[in-house]
mmCIF file with all atom_site columns, all heavy atoms in Angstrom:
data_model
loop_
_atom_site.group_PDB
_atom_site.id
_atom_site.type_symbol
_atom_site.label_atom_id
_atom_site.label_alt_id
_atom_site.label_comp_id
_atom_site.label_asym_id
_atom_site.label_entity_id
_atom_site.label_seq_id
_atom_site.pdbx_PDB_ins_code
_atom_site.Cartn_x
_atom_site.Cartn_y
_atom_site.Cartn_z
_atom_site.occupancy
_atom_site.B_iso_or_equiv
_atom_site.pdbx_formal_charge
_atom_site.auth_seq_id
_atom_site.auth_comp_id
_atom_site.auth_asym_id
_atom_site.auth_atom_id
_atom_site.pdbx_PDB_model_num
ATOM 1  N N   . PHE A 1 60 ? 35.421 49.943 14.370 1.00 95.00 ? 71 PHE A N   1
ATOM 2  C CA  . PHE A 1 60 ? 36.101 50.690 13.309 1.00 95.00 ? 71 PHE A CA  1
ATOM 3  C C   . PHE A 1 60 ? 37.497 50.133 13.011 1.00 95.00 ? 71 PHE A C   1
ATOM 4  O O   . PHE A 1 60 ? 38.309 50.808 12.395 1.00 95.00 ? 71 PHE A O   1
ATOM 5  C CB  . PHE A 1 60 ? 36.169 52.172 13.684 1.00 95.00 ? 71 PHE A CB  1
ATOM 6  C CG  . PHE A 1 60 ? 34.821 52.848 13.658 1.00 95.00 ? 71 PHE A CG  1
ATOM 7  C CD1 . PHE A 1 60 ? 34.060 52.956 14.813 1.00 95.00 ? 71 PHE A CD1 1
ATOM 8  C CD2 . PHE A 1 60 ? 34.293 53.321 12.471 1.00 95.00 ? 71 PHE A CD2 1
ATOM 9  C CE1 . PHE A 1 60 ? 32.805 53.558 14.798 1.00 95.00 ? 71 PHE A CE1 1
ATOM 10 C CE2 . PHE A 1 60 ? 33.043 53.924 12.433 1.00 95.00 ? 71 PHE A CE2 1
ATOM 11 C CZ  . PHE A 1 60 ? 32.293 54.039 13.600 1.00 95.00 ? 71 PHE A CZ  1
ATOM 12 N N   . THR A 1 61 ? 37.727 48.896 13.450 1.00 96.00 ? 72 THR A N   1
ATOM 13 C CA  . THR A 1 61 ? 38.974 48.195 13.144 1.00 96.00 ? 72 THR A CA  1
ATOM 14 C C   . THR A 1 61 ? 38.639 46.956 12.324 1.00 96.00 ? 72 THR A C   1
ATOM 15 O O   . THR A 1 61 ? 37.723 46.218 12.690 1.00 96.00 ? 72 THR A O   1
ATOM 16 C CB  . THR A 1 61 ? 39.694 47.772 14.435 1.00 96.00 ? 72 THR A CB  1
ATOM 17 O OG1 . THR A 1 61 ? 39.994 48.927 15.219 1.00 96.00 ? 72 THR A OG1 1
ATOM 18 C CG2 . THR A 1 61 ? 40.987 47.029 14.120 1.00 96.00 ? 72 THR A CG2 1
ATOM 19 N N   . PRO A 1 62 ? 39.331 46.703 11.206 1.00 94.00 ? 73 PRO A N   1
ATOM 20 C CA  . PRO A 1 62 ? 39.054 45.495 10.425 1.00 94.00 ? 73 PRO A CA  1
ATOM 21 C C   . PRO A 1 62 ? 39.142 44.253 11.304 1.00 94.00 ? 73 PRO A C   1
ATOM 22 O O   . PRO A 1 62 ? 40.061 44.140 12.133 1.00 94.00 ? 73 PRO A O   1
ATOM 23 C CB  . PRO A 1 62 ? 40.151 45.509 9.357  1.00 94.00 ? 73 PRO A CB  1
ATOM 24 C CG  . PRO A 1 62 ? 40.528 46.958 9.221  1.00 94.00 ? 73 PRO A CG  1
ATOM 25 C CD  . PRO A 1 62 ? 40.393 47.536 10.597 1.00 94.00 ? 73 PRO A CD  1
ATOM 26 N N   . PRO A 1 63 ? 38.192 43.320 11.180 1.00 93.00 ? 74 PRO A N   1
ATOM 27 C CA  . PRO A 1 63 ? 38.188 42.119 12.032 1.00 93.00 ? 74 PRO A CA  1
ATOM 28 C C   . PRO A 1 63 ? 39.505 41.369 12.036 1.00 93.00 ? 74 PRO A C   1
ATOM 29 O O   . PRO A 1 63 ? 39.898 40.804 13.069 1.00 93.00 ? 74 PRO A O   1
ATOM 30 C CB  . PRO A 1 63 ? 37.061 41.272 11.434 1.00 93.00 ? 74 PRO A CB  1
ATOM 31 C CG  . PRO A 1 63 ? 36.128 42.282 10.823 1.00 93.00 ? 74 PRO A CG  1
ATOM 32 C CD  . PRO A 1 63 ? 37.017 43.367 10.287 1.00 93.00 ? 74 PRO A CD  1
ATOM 33 N N   . ALA A 1 64 ? 40.218 41.370 10.905 1.00 94.00 ? 75 ALA A N   1
ATOM 34 C CA  . ALA A 1 64 ? 41.497 40.647 10.835 1.00 94.00 ? 75 ALA A CA  1
ATOM 35 C C   . ALA A 1 64 ? 42.536 41.258 11.773 1.00 94.00 ? 75 ALA A C   1
ATOM 36 O O   . ALA A 1 64 ? 43.527 40.597 12.121 1.00 94.00 ? 75 ALA A O   1
ATOM 37 C CB  . ALA A 1 64 ? 42.026 40.645 9.408  1.00 94.00 ? 75 ALA A CB  1
ATOM 38 N N   . GLN A 1 65 ? 42.323 42.507 12.189 1.00 97.00 ? 76 GLN A N   1
ATOM 39 C CA  . GLN A 1 65 ? 43.275 43.190 13.069 1.00 97.00 ? 76 GLN A CA  1
ATOM 40 C C   . GLN A 1 65 ? 42.811 43.223 14.520 1.00 97.00 ? 76 GLN A C   1
ATOM 41 O O   . GLN A 1 65 ? 43.431 43.876 15.351 1.00 97.00 ? 76 GLN A O   1
ATOM 42 C CB  . GLN A 1 65 ? 43.506 44.616 12.562 1.00 97.00 ? 76 GLN A CB  1
ATOM 43 C CG  . GLN A 1 65 ? 44.077 44.688 11.155 1.00 97.00 ? 76 GLN A CG  1
ATOM 44 C CD  . GLN A 1 65 ? 44.212 46.119 10.665 1.00 97.00 ? 76 GLN A CD  1
ATOM 45 O OE1 . GLN A 1 65 ? 44.295 47.065 11.453 1.00 97.00 ? 76 GLN A OE1 1
ATOM 46 N NE2 . GLN A 1 65 ? 44.230 46.300 9.352  1.00 97.00 ? 76 GLN A NE2 1
ATOM 47 N N   . HIS A 1 66 ? 41.745 42.517 14.836 1.00 96.00 ? 77 HIS A N   1
ATOM 48 C CA  . HIS A 1 66 ? 41.225 42.536 16.199 1.00 96.00 ? 77 HIS A CA  1
ATOM 49 C C   . HIS A 1 66 ? 42.148 41.775 17.156 1.00 96.00 ? 77 HIS A C   1
ATOM 50 O O   . HIS A 1 66 ? 42.595 40.667 16.867 1.00 96.00 ? 77 HIS A O   1
ATOM 51 C CB  . HIS A 1 66 ? 39.832 41.890 16.255 1.00 96.00 ? 77 HIS A CB  1
ATOM 52 C CG  . HIS A 1 66 ? 38.742 42.800 15.804 1.00 96.00 ? 77 HIS A CG  1
ATOM 53 N ND1 . HIS A 1 66 ? 37.405 42.453 15.876 1.00 96.00 ? 77 HIS A ND1 1
ATOM 54 C CD2 . HIS A 1 66 ? 38.768 44.059 15.281 1.00 96.00 ? 77 HIS A CD2 1
ATOM 55 C CE1 . HIS A 1 66 ? 36.669 43.442 15.415 1.00 96.00 ? 77 HIS A CE1 1
ATOM 56 N NE2 . HIS A 1 66 ? 37.474 44.423 15.045 1.00 96.00 ? 77 HIS A NE2 1
ATOM 57 N N   . THR A 1 67 ? 42.411 42.388 18.278 1.00 97.00 ? 78 THR A N   1
ATOM 58 C CA  . THR A 1 67 ? 43.060 41.698 19.388 1.00 97.00 ? 78 THR A CA  1
ATOM 59 C C   . THR A 1 67 ? 41.998 40.859 20.106 1.00 97.00 ? 78 THR A C   1
ATOM 60 O O   . THR A 1 67 ? 40.791 41.046 19.879 1.00 97.00 ? 78 THR A O   1
ATOM 61 C CB  . THR A 1 67 ? 43.639 42.712 20.373 1.00 97.00 ? 78 THR A CB  1
ATOM 62 O OG1 . THR A 1 67 ? 42.553 43.467 20.947 1.00 97.00 ? 78 THR A OG1 1
ATOM 63 C CG2 . THR A 1 67 ? 44.607 43.664 19.682 1.00 97.00 ? 78 THR A CG2 1
ATOM 64 N N   . PRO A 1 68 ? 42.385 39.951 20.986 1.00 97.00 ? 79 PRO A N   1
ATOM 65 C CA  . PRO A 1 68 ? 41.381 39.205 21.748 1.00 97.00 ? 79 PRO A CA  1
ATOM 66 C C   . PRO A 1 68 ? 40.423 40.108 22.518 1.00 97.00 ? 79 PRO A C   1
ATOM 67 O O   . PRO A 1 68 ? 39.229 39.816 22.614 1.00 97.00 ? 79 PRO A O   1
ATOM 68 C CB  . PRO A 1 68 ? 42.233 38.349 22.692 1.00 97.00 ? 79 PRO A CB  1
ATOM 69 C CG  . PRO A 1 68 ? 43.503 38.122 21.923 1.00 97.00 ? 79 PRO A CG  1
ATOM 70 C CD  . PRO A 1 68 ? 43.751 39.423 21.206 1.00 97.00 ? 79 PRO A CD  1
ATOM 71 N N   . ASP A 1 69 ? 40.925 41.232 23.043 1.00 97.00 ? 80 ASP A N   1
ATOM 72 C CA  . ASP A 1 69 ? 40.059 42.149 23.779 1.00 97.00 ? 80 ASP A CA  1
ATOM 73 C C   . ASP A 1 69 ? 39.026 42.798 22.865 1.00 97.00 ? 80 ASP A C   1
ATOM 74 O O   . ASP A 1 69 ? 37.859 42.971 23.247 1.00 97.00 ? 80 ASP A O   1
ATOM 75 C CB  . ASP A 1 69 ? 40.899 43.238 24.459 1.00 97.00 ? 80 ASP A CB  1
ATOM 76 C CG  . ASP A 1 69 ? 41.648 42.712 25.671 1.00 97.00 ? 80 ASP A CG  1
ATOM 77 O OD1 . ASP A 1 69 ? 41.311 41.605 26.141 1.00 97.00 ? 80 ASP A OD1 1
ATOM 78 O OD2 . ASP A 1 69 ? 42.581 43.404 26.139 1.00 97.00 ? 80 ASP A OD2 1
ATOM 79 N N   . LEU A 1 70 ? 39.453 43.183 21.654 1.00 97.00 ? 81 LEU A N   1
ATOM 80 C CA  . LEU A 1 70 ? 38.508 43.794 20.717 1.00 97.00 ? 81 LEU A CA  1
ATOM 81 C C   . LEU A 1 70 ? 37.475 42.778 20.240 1.00 97.00 ? 81 LEU A C   1
ATOM 82 O O   . LEU A 1 70 ? 36.297 43.104 20.065 1.00 97.00 ? 81 LEU A O   1
ATOM 83 C CB  . LEU A 1 70 ? 39.246 44.402 19.531 1.00 97.00 ? 81 LEU A CB  1
ATOM 84 C CG  . LEU A 1 70 ? 40.129 45.619 19.825 1.00 97.00 ? 81 LEU A CG  1
ATOM 85 C CD1 . LEU A 1 70 ? 40.705 46.188 18.534 1.00 97.00 ? 81 LEU A CD1 1
ATOM 86 C CD2 . LEU A 1 70 ? 39.355 46.692 20.583 1.00 97.00 ? 81 LEU A CD2 1
ATOM 87 N N   . THR A 1 71 ? 37.903 41.551 20.029 1.00 97.00 ? 82 THR A N   1
ATOM 88 C CA  . THR A 1 71 ? 36.971 40.492 19.636 1.00 97.00 ? 82 THR A CA  1
ATOM 89 C C   . THR A 1 71 ? 35.898 40.299 20.702 1.00 97.00 ? 82 THR A C   1
ATOM 90 O O   . THR A 1 71 ? 34.708 40.161 20.397 1.00 97.00 ? 82 THR A O   1
ATOM 91 C CB  . THR A 1 71 ? 37.729 39.177 19.404 1.00 97.00 ? 82 THR A CB  1
ATOM 92 O OG1 . THR A 1 71 ? 38.649 39.351 18.327 1.00 97.00 ? 82 THR A OG1 1
ATOM 93 C CG2 . THR A 1 71 ? 36.767 38.048 19.058 1.00 97.00 ? 82 THR A CG2 1
ATOM 94 N N   . ALA A 1 72 ? 36.317 40.306 21.959 1.00 97.00 ? 83 ALA A N   1
ATOM 95 C CA  . ALA A 1 72 ? 35.369 40.148 23.061 1.00 97.00 ? 83 ALA A CA  1
ATOM 96 C C   . ALA A 1 72 ? 34.434 41.341 23.164 1.00 97.00 ? 83 ALA A C   1
ATOM 97 O O   . ALA A 1 72 ? 33.234 41.186 23.447 1.00 97.00 ? 83 ALA A O   1
ATOM 98 C CB  . ALA A 1 72 ? 36.129 39.951 24.373 1.00 97.00 ? 83 ALA A CB  1
#
Side-chain angles (χ1 to χ4, degrees):
F71 291 94
T72 300
Q76 300 177 23
H77 280 185
T78 64
D80 286 346
L81 293 185
T82 298

